[in-house]
Amino acid sequence: MAEVINMPRLSDTMEEGVVAQWLKKVGDSIEEGDILAEIETDKATMEFESFHEGTLLYIGVQEGETAKVDSLLAIIGEKGEDYSSLLAENQTTTSETSTSTKENPSAEPTKQGDNDSAQTAETKKTIELPEGVEIITMPRLSDTMTDGTVATWLKKEGDKVNEGDILAEIETDKATMEFESFYEGTLLYIGVQEGESTKVDDVLALIGKKGTDVSGIIEKIKAGAFSTNDNQANGTPVKETRKTASPEPPPTTTTTSSQPVQSVTQNSTGGRIFASPLARKIAEEKGINLAQVQGSGEHGRIIKKDIENFTPSQAGITAAPFVPQGQESFEEIKNSQMRKVIAKRLGESKFTAPHYYLNVELNMDNAIAFRQQFNSIPDTKISFNDIVLKATALALKQHPQVNSQWFEDRIKLNHHVHLGVAVAVEDGLVVPVLKFANEQSLQQIGAKVKEFAGKARSKKLTPQEMEGSTFTVSNLGMFGITDFTSIINQPNSAILSVGAIVEKPIVKNGQIVIGNTMKLTMACDHRTVDGATGAQFLLTLRGYIENPVTMLV
């Protein structure tokens, strides 16, 4: 019997998806566990796996096309089977949904988790959790799952849990999946033992600060007084481990409200490496480079036994002399949504704002000594980037013309300092905003920037954290870049490019000595910042960076 495959919800914020690539075509035979397509969401591009066997009879969304979550993606059934009734039924359902929305515009479609959220709120009215305690519930790991069985606990009560650690393996009605923690702390309580089953959203475990008393909550859980629909842990990502003839799973994604984890990376030549989550975890623990491992799984995927059987000597085998036998080739990569936005905004900035550039080279000897002394304080660590950000914020406070924004009918002089901090991510560049940066200490700036960088790379930055910048700082010094120019992040009037600290001969008190210098380049919008204005700002900035103790006054 033919089965309808819908566009899955691959992240908690996903409303629509783009089919980046179909890995099967109409008429192909499909096995359970085969990868059907790669789906591009608002957060990542993920592999979409089939839970059905048969023949791919129909593709409803072509490569590059966008479709709403739960809309028809494909149909799988027996070869030659008539699926016209399923198409007609899907079109009728879509039409009825559209008509219902038109008749009642104020009504919104029910979203997965709405009822859970309402019941969660009700639960929190009656049960107050100790500070820092998080409730982990049985996740819904497939669209038909109603309960799950704990196959194995990989952590025990009292163990330290880091974000991303695998807590347990959960058996569903379709597969066995690794269940990953989204929280950090200590595993305070296990509510479902190995081999036991429980309903979706029932309490699975408690995580919190070590030594926290959770006896009151445990009593209520055992007494059945705790709501089984508290979905605080629904944001926990999971990684699926399908049990097949091979003891090791292929990489998969799950269509739950949690964010799936990709099991694809790249090797040194840019080629893709496919590895199961468990193989990846074991390789990381053993310090094995996946690019050196030969996969024996489906389509060359690296599986558990490949890692266990790998020996370092394999990587050191002398290769035969290289004789070119191939031909020139290339790959076209469809632009991601992030890359499109970056291209549009930076293109508009470069070709509408009259950029000009100011360069200055700073003596960093005092800054180096200052940082060493500052970091000698226990539990204190700041970077040179933190020093630059703090100095920039203080200088901007004195030069509001540089801390300005251009609009067609006015210039906005900002008396508050919201620093945009450029962070490189896999798909491009994001700019989280350090608000009221001039009021923050060096330690606070350092902690916030680290938090932003972590969120950016895991795609967890919120829109609110990337709005409202008045000036931007871009630092490529950690990559050894000595100087470069940046494109202004409009509507801001300027952006500062920070290079690497370089040891070189300098003239000091009429003598040539070895010193440390750093180059700064500021791109300015000539509509708002004149050359003299920009130069005065850099003079103030130089004073702070070359004498950082003045920032503490």
Side-chain angles (χ1 to χ4, degrees):
M1 180 178 176
E3 297 283 349
V4 171
I5 310 300
N6 291 328
M7 174 66 75
R9 185 184 301 277
L10 299 176
S11 80
D12 48 354
T13 58
M14 178 179 172
E15 296 181 356
E16 60 183 21
V18 178
V19 177
Q21 181 182 5
W22 279 102
L23 302 181
K24 298 288 185 179
K25 62 182 184 293
V26 173
D28 281 359
S29 177
I30 307 296
E31 299 291 335
E32 183 177 356
D34 283 356
I35 306 300
L36 291 178
E38 293 181 341
I39 307 294
E40 181 180 338
T41 75
D42 57 335
K43 293 183 177 178
T45 299
M46 306 173 188
E47 294 181 332
F48 180 54
E49 174 186 323
S50 174
F51 280 115
H52 304 284
E53 296 184 353
T55 299
L56 185 57
L57 302 175
Y58 173 77
I59 290 178
V61 183
Q62 302 302 315
E63 290 186 357
E65 291 184 352
T66 303
K68 296 288 185 184
V69 168
D70 293 331
S71 59
L72 188 146
L73 190 64
I75 296 177
I76 294 176
E78 296 181 4
K79 188 173 183 179
E81 184 177 354
D82 182 9
Y83 57 88
S84 57
S85 60
L86 286 177
L87 277 179
E89 180 179 345
N90 180 75
Q91 291 170 355
T92 301
T93 303
T94 303
S95 176
E96 290 175 354
T97 302
S98 176
T99 303
S100 174
T101 303
K102 290 179 180 179
E103 292 175 352
N104 186 9
S106 63
E108 295 183 3
T110 301
K111 297 178 182 178
Q112 181 179 359
D114 282 353
N115 291 335
D116 289 345
S117 297
Q119 295 183 33
T120 297
E122 184 64 29
T123 297
K124 289 181 178 178
K125 290 179 182 178
T126 58
I127 295 180
E128 184 175 347
L129 296 177
E131 182 180 357
V133 173
E134 298 289 349
I135 296 174
I136 311 300
T137 60
M138 175 65 73
R140 186 184 303 277
L141 303 179
S142 75
D143 50 356
T144 58
M145 177 179 172
T146 58
D147 54 30
T149 301
V150 176
T152 308
W153 277 103
L154 302 180
K155 297 285 185 180
K156 61 181 183 296
E157 289 185 8
D159 279 0
K160 171 69 175 176
V161 177
N162 293 315
E163 182 178 346
D165 284 355
I166 306 300
L167 290 178
E169 291 184 343
I170 307 294
E171 290 183 9
T172 75
D173 56 336
K174 292 182 176 178
T176 297
M177 307 179 189
E178 294 179 334
F179 183 55
E180 186 175 290
S181 175
F182 203 57
Y183 302 101
E184 293 188 358
T186 298
L187 186 56
L188 302 173
Y189 169 70
I190 290 178
V192 182
Q193 302 303 316
E194 291 184 358
E196 292 181 353
S197 301
T198 191
K199 296 290 184 184
V200 167
D201 294 332
D202 275 1
V203 177
L204 196 62
L206 298 176
I207 290 178
K209 296 179 181 178
K210 186 175 182 179
T212 303
D213 182 11
V214 292
S215 56
I217 300 176
I218 295 174
E219 288 179 6
K220 292 180 179 179
I221 292 172
K222 292 181 177 180
F226 197 94
S227 170
T228 59
N229 288 301
D230 191 329
N231 64 345
Q232 295 180 63
N234 280 356
T236 307
V238 295
K239 295 186 285 185
E240 179 171 335
T241 309
R242 179 166 301 282
K243 302 296 184 180
T244 61
S246 168
E248 176 55 28
T252 65
T253 59
T254 56
T255 56
T256 70
S257 62
S258 57
Q259 181 181 338
V261 176
Q262 297 185 83
S263 297
V264 182
T265 186
Q266 291 186 331
N267 59 26
S268 59
T269 62
R272 299 173 62 181
I273 297 176
F274 292 83
S276 74
L278 189 55
R280 189 174 302 282
K281 179 175 180 292
I282 297 173
E284 183 178 355
E285 291 174 350
K286 292 186 175 183
I288 295 174
N289 183 355
L290 288 176
Q292 299 176 344
V293 181
Q294 181 67 41
S296 62
E298 182 184 10
H299 304 303
R301 283 179 174 80
I302 299 171
I303 58 178
K304 178 182 177 183
K305 68 178 182 180
D306 299 326
I307 301 298
E308 292 178 337
N309 296 333
F310 175 80
T311 56
S313 59
Q314 290 178 271
I317 297 175
T318 303
F322 172 69
V323 179
Q325 295 180 347
Q327 58 185 2
E328 293 184 353
S329 63
F330 65 90
E331 178 183 3
E332 292 186 348
I333 302 173
K334 196 170 184 67
N335 290 331
S336 66
Q337 298 298 321
M338 179 182 289
R339 181 55 61 186
K340 291 177 183 177
V341 172
I342 290 173
K344 181 174 183 292
R345 292 197 62 191
L346 295 186
E348 289 173 350
S349 177
K350 185 65 176 178
F351 298 114
T352 59
H355 286 57
Y356 74 93
Y357 305 94
L358 298 173
N359 304 289
V360 64
E361 188 170 13
L362 308 182
N363 186 318
M364 295 297 290
D365 288 342
N366 286 343
I368 291 172
F370 172 83
R371 178 173 176 263
Q372 289 176 342
Q373 187 174 6
F374 201 97
N375 286 348
S376 66
I377 302 172
D379 300 323
T380 300
K381 187 175 183 181
I382 61 171
S383 66
F384 290 112
N385 190 57
D386 302 332
I387 294 174
V388 172
L389 291 174
K390 176 67 174 181
T392 302
L394 293 175
L396 287 171
K397 192 67 177 175
Q398 298 179 39
H399 298 273
Q401 191 74 30
V402 180
N403 195 41
S404 64
Q405 294 170 315
W406 168 266
F407 299 94
E408 288 300 324
D409 58 343
R410 69 194 188 280
I411 295 174
K412 182 179 179 181
L413 301 179
N414 296 295
H415 298 292
H416 61 278
V417 179
H418 288 354
L419 277 187
V421 183
V423 177
V425 295
E426 184 178 355
D427 293 333
L429 186 75
V430 293
V431 186
V433 179
L434 194 65
K435 296 188 176 178
F436 301 105
N438 59 300
E439 300 177 10
Q440 298 190 42
S441 68
L442 285 165
Q443 301 99 309
Q444 290 169 333
I445 288 174
K448 198 65 180 177
V449 169
K450 287 180 182 177
E451 178 187 341
F452 281 153
K455 284 186 174 182
R457 294 185 182 105
S458 59
K459 299 188 177 182
K460 294 174 185 174
L461 281 173
T462 65
Q464 293 77 12
E465 290 173 323
M466 294 186 285
E467 294 175 349
S469 69
T470 60
F471 187 92
T472 305
V473 176
S474 179
N475 190 342
L476 293 179
M478 66 285 294
F479 299 107
I481 303 299
T482 57
D483 56 291
F484 64 103
T485 58
S486 301
I487 299 175
I488 298 169
N489 184 24
Q490 289 190 331
N492 297 345
S493 295
I495 183 171
L496 186 70
S497 305
V498 183
I501 297 176
V502 178
E503 189 177 45
K504 59 185 281 190
I506 64 172
V507 177
K508 191 171 185 179
N509 298 324
Q511 301 292 322
I512 297 178
V513 297
I514 299 298
N516 295 275
T517 66
M518 181 178 72
K519 292 181 180 179
L520 302 179
T521 303
M522 187 167 71
C524 304
D525 185 340
H526 219 319
R527 295 174 298 182
T528 52
V529 181
D530 295 327
T533 303
Q536 289 169 356
F537 166 79
L538 288 177
L539 186 62
T540 302
L541 180 60
R542 175 198 285 271
Y544 282 127
I545 295 178
E546 290 189 340
N547 299 282
V549 71
T550 59
M551 295 190 294
L552 304 180
V553 177

